[in-house]
Amino acid sequence: MIRRYRVGWLFTISGTPIQDATVSVEDGRIVAIEENGVWPDAVDLRSWAIMPALVNAHTHLEFSNLEAPLGTEAMPFPQWITEVVRYRQGFGEDLAVERAHAIRNGLQQSASFGVGVVGEIATLPLLEASYDRSQVHVVSMLEVLGLDPERAAERIVQAETHAGYPWSSKLVTPGISPHAPYTVQMEIVDQSAQLSQKHQLPLAMHLGESLEELELLEKGTGPFRVMLENMGLFQAEDFPGGRKVSEYIQHLTSAYRALVVHGNYLAEASSEVLQQFPDKLTVCYCPRTHAYFHHPTHPIEEMLGQGIRVVLGTDSRASSPDLNLWAEVQHVHHAFPDIPAEQLLTMVTRDAAYALGLEESYGTIEPGYQARVAAFAVGSDCPDVLATMLAGQPRLWDLGAGLNELDLATA
Ligand SMILES: [Zn+2]
């Protein structure tokens, strides 16, 4: 059956916003968009503005049961990583069950904030039940981690299995994530990129995140070396020095799609590669995580000015207070008021969907696309709808599910 909704404002993202539009939905997909009220039986939602469901390009849902970020604010990054490793070791024997609980919890939290898609870094063991009954589409990017070549090779095999796993939910698609330059060797980055190309998987890698990472690559020294030594993982030949983040980004150009996660510290050579491969490369800025570590101003404005695609992520609750992607948008809006609001909307919808390889189903409102939307209560006579949305908080609606399923409370 076709369901029709007459909304106050429709932000399709693919075109200019439409005031007073009717959206028709069938079998969970949008089938038509019309201006004005041509259908008397349409559900009246004229005090609402809708846009595509938000796409959180980067998170780690296994940390979603944390009440507060790990460590302390402005803690040196390698020390925080040590806290993360310790937290993971604190899981009991039923690691997979506890992790599944945290992931499901994280998906519920995401949905409550209007998020319809997450780029989730997955670690093994992973239960099928982790993604059960979720309204949120999960791009499950298997983490490949390990400086030891044998262990890393094993992870590549697991990533290929993960890429072909027959999930019972249609809302799960695979991806791959070589973790970071201090935990994987370049050969594994290359193999991950090849797997990404072969299976058309989105890839994500933490890059240019901290000055300590740059020091380890350039000189083979610093707090990351100490951390790896303390873990018994440091081998001098793995970090001979003279290496730059831009080399990793260059290697990622052989992937199908690659997310450069963070990019807090990228030199000109990195920007050049990012500009050369806009069809493949995207930077994911995680604003509140960036703020938690007190990094200097993120180069988002320069990147956007250079035509580099930048999207937003919450990262995990190990470094962010919650999984509210809209709070990240608000953070950027306050920190960088010159970035047009329309561009912020595009970053958390169409551009993020592209980076995750989902541009044919998510990120815009047009015929053929998923009918899950982010809805804002804006009132029936809103003088500045974008400003009201930016000050508000969206909720996730599945327009395919019918009126009773929509949470219409405005409080
Ligand atoms: Zn991350």
Side-chain angles (χ1 to χ4, degrees):
M1 82 179 266
I2 295 187
R3 299 178 196 275
R4 300 184 205 279
Y5 304 88
R6 185 175 178 185
V7 299
W9 284 90
L10 178 65
F11 288 80
T12 63
I13 305 299
S14 52
T16 49
I18 306 168
Q19 188 173 8
D20 192 4
T22 300
V23 181
S24 302
V25 173
E26 190 174 25
D27 295 331
R29 300 248 169 196
I30 291 154
V31 291
I33 293 163
E34 287 146 298
E35 289 185 39
N36 304 317
V38 288
W39 298 95
D41 60 335
V43 176
D44 188 350
L45 299 173
R46 273 178 287 178
S47 57
W48 294 82
I50 66 169
M51 64 181 279
L54 306 182
V55 181
N56 182 358
H58 180 70
T59 185
H60 307 244
L61 294 174
E62 66 177 293
F63 298 102
S64 302
N65 283 347
L66 279 170
E67 292 289 326
L70 293 174
T72 51
E73 196 163 337
M75 172 183 254
F77 185 67
Q79 206 179 325
W80 177 82
I81 290 276
T82 309
E83 294 282 330
V84 169
V85 172
R86 195 175 299 152
Y87 175 77
R88 274 185 173 169
Q89 287 166 346
F91 277 111
E93 270 181 33
D94 279 335
L95 167 68
V97 175
E98 288 180 45
R99 181 175 281 150
H101 178 259
I103 292 170
R104 278 202 301 269
N105 188 359
L107 288 170
Q108 276 170 11
Q109 292 169 34
S110 300
S112 75
F113 294 125
V115 170
V117 181
V118 292
E120 136 80 343
I121 307 302
T123 54
L124 299 174
L126 179 67
L127 297 181
E128 166 99 28
S130 304
Y131 304 142
D132 265 4
R133 294 188 299 279
S134 168
Q135 298 180 68
V136 178
H137 187 114
V138 182
V139 182
S140 176
M141 308 171 96
L142 192 73
E143 184 173 80
V144 177
L145 184 145
L147 291 165
D148 171 51
E150 254 177 58
R151 184 176 167 192
E154 217 174 276
R155 293 299 178 97
I156 289 286
V157 172
Q158 288 167 339
E160 184 137 32
T161 307
H162 190 72
Y165 187 82
W167 296 98
S168 54
S169 166
K170 277 187 284 187
L171 295 183
V172 185
T173 46
I176 185 167
S177 179
H179 175 253
Y182 49 89
T183 52
V184 288
Q185 303 203 34
M186 192 66 94
E187 198 186 322
I188 293 303
V189 176
D190 287 336
Q191 289 176 20
S192 301
Q194 282 159 19
L195 212 60
S196 156
Q197 183 60 50
K198 180 178 165 193
H199 297 283
Q200 304 211 324
L201 309 175
L203 178 153
M205 183 171 184
H206 300 90
L207 278 167
E209 182 170 10
S210 66
L211 290 173
E212 292 90 343
E213 172 195 325
L214 268 56
E215 181 182 353
L216 182 75
L217 296 180
E218 283 168 20
K219 299 183 192 149
T221 57
F224 261 126
R225 175 175 176 153
V226 174
M227 182 194 88
L228 292 171
E229 281 172 346
N230 290 341
M231 292 176 178
L233 299 172
F234 185 79
Q235 307 255 27
E237 63 264 32
D238 292 343
F239 300 102
R243 190 162 268 176
K244 296 196 179 324
V245 171
S246 60
E247 292 169 46
Y248 289 86
I249 299 179
Q250 185 70 51
H251 281 244
L252 291 184
T253 60
S254 56
Y256 171 62
R257 299 272 160 84
L259 263 183
V260 172
V261 178
H262 300 299
N264 300 331
Y265 301 92
L266 293 185
E268 210 178 310
S270 294
S271 304
E272 281 169 15
V273 185
L274 289 164
Q275 285 176 74
Q276 277 165 20
F277 294 90
D279 55 328
K280 289 185 180 278
L281 302 176
T282 302
V283 172
C284 180
Y285 169 32
C286 301
R288 290 182 302 163
T289 287
H290 175 278
Y292 183 64
F293 292 107
H294 290 212
H295 295 299
T297 306
H298 191 276
I300 177 174
E301 287 187 303
E302 291 80 357
M303 289 174 175
L304 293 173
Q306 290 164 336
I308 295 168
R309 188 183 308 100
V310 182
V311 298
L312 302 183
T314 57
D315 215 336
S316 78
R317 292 197 65 180
S319 57
S320 180
D322 52 49
L323 297 173
N324 185 355
L325 187 68
W326 199 249
E328 306 290 353
V329 171
Q330 290 167 333
H331 183 103
V332 177
H333 183 55
H334 286 120
F336 304 97
D338 291 342
I339 300 177
E342 293 82 356
Q343 187 158 16
L344 295 177
L345 302 193
T346 304
M347 284 163 64
V348 292
T349 53
R350 189 183 68 188
D351 286 356
Y354 182 86
L356 295 176
L358 295 175
E359 71 275 16
E360 287 175 7
S361 303
Y362 294 95
T364 62
I365 295 181
E366 51 189 307
Y369 278 69
Q370 290 282 346
R372 279 195 291 283
V373 299
F376 298 77
V378 295
S380 50
D381 196 17
C382 183
D384 186 344
V385 70
L386 257 181
T388 305
M389 288 163 71
L390 279 166
Q393 176 66 53
R395 59 200 68 191
L396 183 66
W397 280 354
D398 182 355
L399 296 181
L403 182 63
N404 292 340
E405 302 291 320
L406 304 184
D407 169 18
L408 288 171
T410 53

